[in-house]
Amino acid sequence: MERMRRELGPRGLEVIGVNMDQKPADAARFLARHSVSFPIANGANDACAKKFGVNAMPSTYIVDRRGNIRAVHSGFRPDEGAGLRGLVEKILTEPMNP
């Protein structure tokens, strides 16, 4: 996500992380090893996770410029990065107002 944000940010990509860890120290340790330049919202919130159907960590929600959730991806496997990037690049080519 960090690499995509750096490379596609000039084209309009925004990345926002939401930390759902019950223990803030867990997230702090992860971010100490994997620095990111995008904002991270903190606070375990089971109601939020239920509303969005979060069933795995991490979960990625790809939202278009109009605020529509276009894809949800659960978990992380390095071989799936190219597919997610392709979808993001496609969405970035779409006009803001159809």
Side-chain angles (χ1 to χ4, degrees):
M1 288 299 159
E2 175 63 18
R3 183 178 328 135
M4 244 196 310
R5 193 220 51 83
R6 278 185 278 121
E7 294 172 359
L8 300 178
R11 293 176 48 197
L13 175 67
E14 297 287 342
V15 175
I16 301 169
V18 178
N19 171 31
M20 299 296 290
D21 287 315
Q22 296 291 328
K23 298 176 185 171
D26 292 345
R29 277 192 301 277
F30 178 84
L31 291 171
R33 291 188 317 264
H34 306 281
S35 179
V36 297
S37 61
F38 52 84
I40 305 286
N42 289 302
N45 185 330
D46 291 336
C48 179
K50 286 178 186 173
K51 181 174 178 143
F52 282 94
V54 175
N55 56 18
M57 296 302 277
S59 290
T60 301
Y61 290 75
I62 298 177
V63 181
D64 67 20
R65 296 174 197 256
R66 292 178 292 282
N68 300 309
I69 297 173
R70 299 283 292 273
V72 178
H73 182 267
S74 297
F76 175 77
R77 290 167 294 285
D79 60 322
E80 297 173 329
L84 288 173
R85 184 183 176 110
L87 176 59
V88 168
E89 288 178 339
K90 177 186 176 294
I91 291 171
L92 289 173
T93 65
E94 297 173 354
M96 277 186 113
N97 298 315

